[in-house]
């Protein structure tokens, strides 16, 4: 159980509550589980940061995460008061029709995530923003490394921020790592949905959601030495018949288009990278050890929701705060049967609690497969 096992959590906004349910199922059946490597981006960065910061055992950390998500509401993540939303929308409108005039207001995101910053500071950080608990776990040998991925809007590079002992940095033309002491700002930057949430200032520039341009989502875990990766995706794998069914009637709304684009950014690449890793493992199995160079086989298990989490969001739309619901309806969230955009921002117990239970149930369904993977 204490081998080089990595847990990798991807994006998905509010759908990351499903990851919490999976973690709870794992903690129930494998209480001695101690993942030495934690990697995440977007909403998954919040979950891995919490696991790394918690001073208790894996089951205790997971239960704390469950309590956090079970009590979460939209106003704890972003401002939902109608006056502020109206003012921000007017600001965007003036910006669009200003022709770039100097008098145009500066806009940094459709929503203000100041409430999320306050929540994370209360849950994770000491004064100054540094995430508490990580250094203690590293020193005690309970954690090898944690990595949070962002994108640098200034350069277009994917930057993975790593905290861990004796971890060499890596560099590619479009992705690199930086060793640092992780703070709440790193978590906020990694989870800053493009255009929806404002970018965050880090070191040398403005940073946003790590799912953008992350062509190899398993790369950070592999660079950190993982031999096995347990990944949790928030994307439902559709049957061919279900995939052929149209989700809209008539012309696609802005919300529908945004949902497709965000799914392509955050969720499609996990499946692509899993296929690449599977093929590489097959090739390495046929090569003698002396011909493998610095390559090594990495075992992978991806857990994903059995139901479509987008469809569940459609049934919870009426639970959103009135002002924010007015905005989402204006974008066309009721014009589709699978509102992916809505599922990203549905931070309400009516949506989050069922997702946690679904995650637990999916672990039960694949328990034998998970047990064999962890015991390998």
């Amino acid at each position: 159980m204490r081998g080089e096992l990595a847990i990798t959590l991807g994006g998905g906004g509010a759908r990351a509550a499903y990851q919490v349910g999976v973690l709870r199922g794992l903690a129930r059946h494998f209480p001695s589980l101690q993942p030495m490597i934690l990697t995440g981006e977007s909403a998954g960065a919040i979950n891995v940061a919490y696991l790394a910061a918690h001073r208790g055992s894996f089951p205790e950390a997971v239960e704390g995460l469950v309590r956090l998500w079970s009590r979460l509401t939209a106003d704890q993540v972003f401002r939902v008061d109608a006056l502020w939303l109206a003012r921000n929308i007017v600001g965007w409108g003036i910006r669009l029709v200003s022709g770039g005039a100097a008098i145009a207001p500066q806009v940094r995101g459709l929503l203000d995530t100041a409430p999320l910053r306050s929540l994370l500071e209360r849950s994770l950080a000491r004064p100054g923003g540094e995430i508490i608990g990580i250094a203690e776990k590293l020193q005690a040998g309970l954690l090898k490394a944690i990595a949070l991925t962002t994108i640098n809007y200034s350069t277009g590079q994917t930057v993975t921020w790593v905290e861990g002992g004796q971890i060499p940095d890596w560099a590619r033309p479009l992705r690199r790592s930086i060793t640092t002491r992780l703070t709440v700002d790193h978590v906020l930057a990694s989870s800053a949905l493009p255009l929806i949430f404002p970018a965050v200032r880090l070191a040398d520039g403005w940073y946003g959601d790590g799912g953008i341009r992350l062509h190899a989502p398993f790369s950070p875990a592999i660079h950190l030495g993982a031999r096995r990766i347990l990944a949790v995706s928030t994307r439902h794998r559709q049957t061919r018949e279900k995939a052929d069914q149209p989700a809209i009637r008539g012309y696609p709304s802005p919300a529908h288009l945004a949902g497709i684009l965000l799914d392509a950014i955050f969720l499609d690449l996990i499946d692509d990278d899993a296929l690449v890793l599977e093929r590489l493992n097959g090739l390495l199995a046929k090569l003698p050890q002396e011909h493998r160079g610095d390559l090594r086989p990495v075992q992978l298990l991806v857990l994903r929701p059995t139901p479509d989490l987008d469809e569940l969001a459609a049934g919870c739309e009426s639970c959103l705060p009135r002002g924010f619901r007015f905005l989402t309806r204006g974008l066309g969230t009721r014009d589709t049967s699978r509102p992916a955009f809505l599922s990203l921002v549905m931070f309400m117990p009516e949506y989050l609690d069922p997702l946690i239970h679904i995650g637990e149930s999916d672990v039960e369904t694949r328990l034998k497969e998970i047990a064999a993977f962890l015991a390998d």
Side-chain angles (χ1 to χ4, degrees):
M1 290 296 188
R2 293 178 60 83
E4 298 299 344
L5 170 68
I7 288 183
T8 295
L9 304 180
R15 283 178 285 186
Y18 171 79
Q19 299 171 349
V20 178
V22 169
L23 293 171
R24 193 182 207 182
L26 293 174
R28 177 180 295 117
H29 291 285
F30 309 99
S32 61
L33 184 66
Q34 187 65 59
M36 299 298 291
I37 298 169
L38 297 170
T39 69
E41 69 275 348
S42 194
I46 297 175
N47 289 336
V48 297
Y50 191 96
L51 292 179
H54 199 282
R55 291 188 172 92
S57 64
F58 180 70
E60 290 171 340
V62 170
E63 282 307 307
L65 199 54
V66 170
R67 288 192 295 271
L68 180 69
W69 279 86
S70 296
R71 301 168 183 170
L72 202 58
T73 55
D75 59 350
Q76 293 177 292
V77 180
F78 45 80
R79 293 186 62 176
V80 297
D81 53 287
L83 181 60
W84 186 91
L85 289 171
R87 184 185 306 146
N88 201 36
I89 292 171
V90 170
W92 275 88
I94 295 174
R95 183 76 183 182
L96 289 172
V97 301
S98 67
I103 61 171
Q106 187 180 50
V107 290
R108 293 190 172 182
L110 186 62
L111 301 173
D112 180 4
T113 53
L116 178 59
R117 173 181 289 276
S118 298
L119 176 65
L120 294 178
E121 288 175 344
R122 293 194 305 270
S123 304
L124 300 176
R126 59 165 56 100
E130 183 180 336
I131 300 177
I132 58 177
I134 295 180
E136 297 175 14
K137 279 192 173 180
L138 291 170
Q139 187 174 6
L142 300 175
L143 183 68
K144 179 181 179 181
I146 173 176
L148 306 181
T149 300
T150 62
I151 187 169
N152 186 334
Y153 286 134
S154 304
T155 64
Q157 282 185 316
T158 293
V159 179
T160 298
W161 306 86
V162 179
E163 184 168 355
Q166 300 180 341
I167 303 295
D169 291 337
W170 63 88
R172 302 290 186 273
L174 288 177
R175 52 189 172 94
R176 61 190 292 254
S177 69
I178 298 177
T179 302
T180 189
R181 299 294 290 269
L182 292 175
T183 67
V184 166
D185 282 338
H186 293 97
V187 180
L188 285 169
S190 183
S191 56
L193 292 168
L195 297 179
I196 302 174
F197 292 170
V200 178
R201 183 81 180 183
L202 291 176
D204 58 342
W206 291 96
Y207 287 78
D209 200 299
I212 304 173
R213 192 177 265 180
L214 185 58
H215 300 300
F218 304 131
S219 173
I222 294 173
H223 279 293
L224 295 176
R227 299 283 181 172
R228 293 170 292 163
I229 300 175
L230 179 61
V232 185
S233 171
T234 58
R235 182 173 193 140
H236 164 71
R237 177 169 287 172
Q238 295 179 335
T239 63
R240 184 182 296 272
E241 294 76 15
K242 183 67 176 293
D244 288 338
Q245 295 178 6
I248 60 171
R249 294 180 180 177
Y251 193 81
S253 66
H256 184 70
L257 294 176
I260 292 177
L261 289 172
L262 291 172
D263 273 356
I265 292 172
F266 300 121
L267 304 181
D268 289 356
L269 294 177
I270 287 182
D271 295 328
D272 293 342
D273 203 24
L275 181 59
V276 171
L277 187 56
E278 179 183 353
R279 289 176 174 174
L280 184 57
N281 283 337
L283 177 62
L284 290 174
K286 298 176 182 179
L287 287 177
Q289 185 71 40
E290 60 270 18
H291 296 306
R292 294 182 180 181
D294 60 350
L295 296 176
R296 67 182 187 278
V298 178
Q299 303 307 311
L300 174 68
L301 179 63
V302 180
L303 303 178
R304 62 180 70 249
T306 46
D308 191 332
L309 304 186
D310 295 343
E311 292 183 350
L312 295 178
C316 301
E317 186 257 0
S318 61
C319 301
L320 287 169
R322 180 177 299 177
F324 184 68
R325 186 172 69 240
F326 183 82
L327 173 62
T328 60
R329 288 179 176 179
L331 293 172
T333 53
R334 292 200 295 179
D335 298 334
T336 172
S337 60
R338 298 195 293 269
F341 173 78
L342 194 62
S343 70
L344 293 171
V345 296
M346 183 60 72
F347 293 98
M348 299 299 294
E350 292 83 358
Y351 181 65
L352 302 177
D353 286 344
L355 264 57
I356 293 174
H357 293 306
I358 290 170
E360 294 180 75
S361 176
D362 285 346
V363 169
E364 297 290 339
T365 301
R366 301 181 63 180
L367 189 57
K368 290 184 178 180
E369 183 183 2
I370 297 170
F373 177 79
L374 294 178
D376 186 9

